[in-house]
Amino acid sequence: MPKVTVYKLLLDMIKHEENFGAYWIYLALKKGYLQKEDDPKSIYDVPFTDEEIVEIKAMNKRDVLGINRIKLYATSISDTKYALYFARTPYDAQMLHATIYGSKPTKWHSIYNQHKYTSILHNETNEEIYLFMLKERVKEFPYYIGEVVVGDGESGVKY
């Protein structure tokens, strides 16, 4: 079993989109408070100043590590149905939507932060899966997830 290090923890935090922890470790490595091979428990001993905490938040906002480049977008296709897409930009989702549905809606909702831990019934694989896990499996973006029904007791992704 490979040894768990600060660097391995950083990679895992990036993979699982644990932004604050990832930027905490990144800045600690950059400032020399931690070394890549250190035990992960040492992250609790980093003596960050208030200014450095502000720097961590600013890096997160700018997405310096590229953790949140792919977002989850939704657009309404009826009163109770939304089409869901993973894409870098709303424009990318809009172009794919036009290919699938023949129209280009202009109203898009970025819903990833609110729903990355939401599970859906993915009809293609017939499994219940968290959206952040589905995003990991996708090889090419933009990606059409399917239609989700909201509000009437029915749920799941429909094709």
Side-chain angles (χ1 to χ4, degrees):
M1 178 180 233
K3 178 183 172 192
V4 178
T5 64
V6 164
Y7 187 68
K8 172 78 170 98
L9 181 61
L10 171 64
L11 295 179
D12 285 345
M13 286 189 164
I14 290 170
K15 178 181 178 182
H16 296 291
E17 300 174 350
E18 298 295 336
N19 293 27
F20 191 81
Y23 285 109
W24 179 278
I25 294 171
Y26 175 76
L27 187 61
L29 288 168
K30 187 175 166 185
K31 299 257 182 181
Y33 295 134
L34 296 174
Q35 302 302 312
K36 286 183 175 183
E37 295 302 316
D38 286 347
D39 186 294
K41 293 176 187 167
S42 61
I43 67 172
Y44 299 109
D45 300 326
V46 175
F48 280 136
T49 64
D50 291 342
E51 291 82 20
E52 289 169 326
I53 298 295
V54 168
E55 188 177 348
I56 289 170
K57 291 177 182 176
M59 286 191 300
N60 184 29
K61 187 174 184 179
R62 290 190 322 270
D63 196 21
V64 170
L65 297 174
I67 296 172
N68 299 311
R69 291 194 177 148
I70 302 298
K71 305 209 179 343
L72 174 65
Y73 292 102
T75 191
S76 177
I77 53 176
S78 78
D79 288 343
T80 59
K81 287 184 184 178
Y82 287 82
L84 300 179
Y85 299 87
F86 285 128
R88 294 190 197 301
T89 66
Y91 178 78
D92 292 342
Q94 184 183 49
M95 292 297 102
L96 182 55
H97 186 86
T99 302
I100 295 167
Y101 289 93
S103 65
K104 292 182 186 176
T106 56
K107 188 166 185 172
W108 288 88
H109 308 280
S110 178
I111 60 172
Y112 189 67
N113 288 338
Q114 303 92 320
H115 292 286
K116 74 180 182 180
Y117 296 114
T118 298
S119 64
I120 61 169
L121 176 61
H122 195 270
N123 289 349
E124 188 174 284
T125 61
N126 199 29
E127 67 180 315
E128 186 105 3
I129 186 168
Y130 290 110
L131 287 169
F132 82 93
M133 292 174 71
L134 178 61
K135 185 172 106 171
E136 275 184 29
R137 294 182 186 178
V138 174
K139 304 287 187 230
E140 192 174 318
F141 299 98
Y143 177 79
Y144 173 66
I145 298 168
E147 296 176 7
V148 65
V149 178
V150 238
D152 66 354
E154 189 180 347
S155 63
V157 177
K158 309 294 180 194
Y159 290 95

